[in-house]
Amino acid sequence: REGAAGRVRWKLKVGRCAASSPAYDDRVVYVTVLSVNATCTNRGGNGRVIAVHASTGKRMWRKTLPARTESSPIVSGPMLYFGSESGVVYGLFKRTGTVKWTYKAGGAVKASPTLSGGTLYFGDYAGKMHAVWAKTGRGRWIAGTSGGKFGFSSGQFYSTPAVNFGRVYAGNTDSKVYSFGAKTGDLAWSRSTGGYVYSSPATSNYPKVGPTVYIGSYDSKL
């Protein structure tokens, strides 16, 4: 839409259902699609990722995926990154949609990955947090909610992580917020809330407050 008037500038049909935020870079909009050929509530079917010219709505390229995706894509340099319900995380060349690498997690990757210092951080529906080198797609570490590498896990990660202060912060459906060491995956702390934590955290080092994490919970509290 045009910002000043709110008029529709162009429309493009990209699939049956979308549940993610688009990414924008260098006059191109990138969108992931939850469903191409099935209903939104059907867990089967294919997903899609598509690149569209921001000014005209002209499709630059599209790629059909073996599984649905509601992971909001992120763009960095020549690359596009997102996850899928099959647990596959993709690193694509943004200009062509060609796959450079894939990484297989143990559960669905619903949220957008977070990129920090050349590493992608994301959680999965097996309750594991992953750190993957963005350049190669090779795993850096995997941590369970018990903190140990490949350790015991509870709940599912739907929250997109925040990375700051040398830590990775994310909410979980087990009603807890977790803090992992960004370099090692070691569990620094966990904090219980009164409900599911789908919210993505925000972080700040506010004067006279110090390093702080802000996150909402299904217990209706921030």
Side-chain angles (χ1 to χ4, degrees):
R1 290 178 179 267
E2 296 187 39
R7 293 189 298 267
V8 175
R9 189 165 183 176
W10 54 259
K11 293 189 293 185
L12 179 68
K13 181 73 171 178
V14 295
R16 291 287 299 274
C17 186
S20 63
S21 300
Y24 172 87
D25 183 71
D26 194 22
R27 294 174 292 180
V28 179
V29 177
Y30 301 92
V31 182
T32 53
V33 178
L34 182 66
S35 178
V36 173
N37 49 15
T39 63
C40 297
T41 57
N42 184 353
R43 292 190 177 275
N46 301 103
R48 176 177 288 163
V49 57
I50 185 169
V52 180
H53 195 283
S55 296
T56 65
K58 179 182 178 181
R59 189 177 71 215
M60 313 294 286
W61 55 259
R62 71 179 180 183
K63 186 175 187 64
T64 300
L65 306 171
R68 308 191 321 166
T69 174
E70 58 181 291
S71 174
S72 300
I74 58 173
V75 185
S76 179
M79 298 297 293
L80 182 73
Y81 306 103
F82 60 92
S84 70
E85 287 192 347
S86 65
V88 175
V89 175
Y90 293 86
L92 273 60
F93 289 107
K94 69 180 184 183
R95 292 191 64 182
T96 63
T98 303
V99 176
K100 181 180 181 182
W101 57 255
T102 60
Y103 172 90
K104 184 70 166 67
V109 178
K110 297 274 197 172
S112 174
T114 296
L115 178 63
S116 177
T119 301
L120 292 165
Y121 298 92
F122 53 89
D124 67 22
Y125 260 40
K128 301 288 181 67
M129 184 61 61
H130 300 255
V132 173
W133 294 110
K135 186 175 182 179
T136 64
R138 297 190 64 174
R140 184 174 177 182
W141 52 256
I142 303 174
T145 51
S146 64
K149 193 173 184 181
F150 300 98
F152 172 77
S153 296
S154 65
Q156 300 165 324
F157 283 108
Y158 187 82
S159 170
T160 293
V163 183
N164 207 348
F165 321 122
R167 302 277 183 84
V168 181
Y169 307 96
N172 193 287
T173 61
D174 66 1
S175 302
K176 291 183 179 180
V177 181
Y178 290 92
S179 170
F180 301 93
K183 291 184 178 180
T184 63
D186 291 338
L187 181 64
W189 53 258
S190 64
R191 169 69 68 176
S192 293
T193 72
Y196 288 179
V197 187
Y198 284 173
S199 168
S200 300
T203 61
S204 174
N205 191 0
Y206 195 77
K208 298 183 180 180
V209 177
T212 307
V213 181
Y214 304 89
I215 194 165
S217 167
Y218 256 51
D219 66 357
S220 303
K221 295 179 181 178
L222 180 66

